[in-house]
Amino acid sequence: MAKKTKKQQQSAGTPATVALTAAGVDFTVHAYDHDPSHPSYGEEAAEAMGVSPDRVFKTLVADVDGSLTVAVVPVAGSLDLKALASAVGGKRAAMADPALAERTTGYVRGGISPLGQRKRLRTVLDASATGHPTICVSAGRRGLEVELSPADLAALTHATLAPIGRS
């Protein structure tokens, strides 16, 4: 088998894993077989990886005062839209249209990663992430997660840390 160059290895990954590799960040990729009938992408990921749902974070796209904003919260809970709006100095937040979220990020629902998005969006990471040495987020497609430190995720996405999740 021919050895792949670093550039070939990067091009074989998702935009999220390519961004992590380019940044020189330590991360682990976790792949699992996605079940389209599972009711929750995030809970499915936690179950498949055998990781506590409070360490697996979902990436949601919201509209805050007309501006798309990424919220990264534990799959064990939900997003507090008022807290998200407040975290970015906004007044009102609502979930973004899924088709718009997909077009803007370059990813499909259930596979939206906070990393390597087509257009960099303002990002807020739930403060609970800092209570874990590593967390898991989508690697850019269904059935693929990356595990990394919350500090690295926050640095790479220029995220604001704020309590935006609800249990």
Side-chain angles (χ1 to χ4, degrees):
M1 178 184 236
K3 187 174 180 181
K4 291 184 178 181
T5 66
K6 189 169 185 171
K7 187 167 183 99
Q8 287 171 322
Q9 289 171 347
Q10 287 178 354
S11 67
T14 66
T17 60
V18 170
L20 287 166
T21 301
V25 168
D26 287 333
F27 67 98
T28 304
V29 174
H30 299 276
Y32 60 92
D33 291 326
H34 166 62
D35 176 3
S37 68
H38 200 288
S40 166
Y41 297 116
E43 288 174 12
E44 176 192 24
E47 291 167 10
M49 294 185 303
V51 174
S52 172
D54 65 341
R55 278 192 50 230
V56 179
F57 282 62
K58 56 189 168 187
T59 306
L60 304 170
V61 181
D63 180 320
V64 180
D65 297 335
S67 198
L68 291 182
T69 303
V70 171
V72 185
V73 296
V75 302
S78 60
L79 172 62
D80 181 335
L81 288 166
K82 284 186 178 194
L84 175 64
S86 177
V88 296
K91 294 184 194 269
R92 195 161 181 276
M95 293 307 297
D97 172 68
L100 178 61
E102 289 180 342
R103 273 194 319 273
T104 305
T105 64
Y107 294 119
V108 297
R109 253 181 347 143
I112 294 178
S113 178
L115 300 155
Q117 295 180 358
R118 182 177 290 150
K119 178 181 179 190
R120 180 177 290 206
L121 299 174
R122 189 169 38 178
T123 301
V124 181
L125 174 60
D126 185 66
S128 69
T130 61
H132 306 284
T134 61
I135 61 171
C136 298
V137 296
S138 176
R141 69 174 169 250
R142 296 172 189 152
L144 196 66
E145 296 278 313
V146 288
E147 181 176 352
L148 73 165
S149 79
D152 285 338
L153 178 62
L156 290 172
T157 60
H158 304 285
T160 299
L161 287 170
I164 59 169
R166 283 193 294 224
S167 299

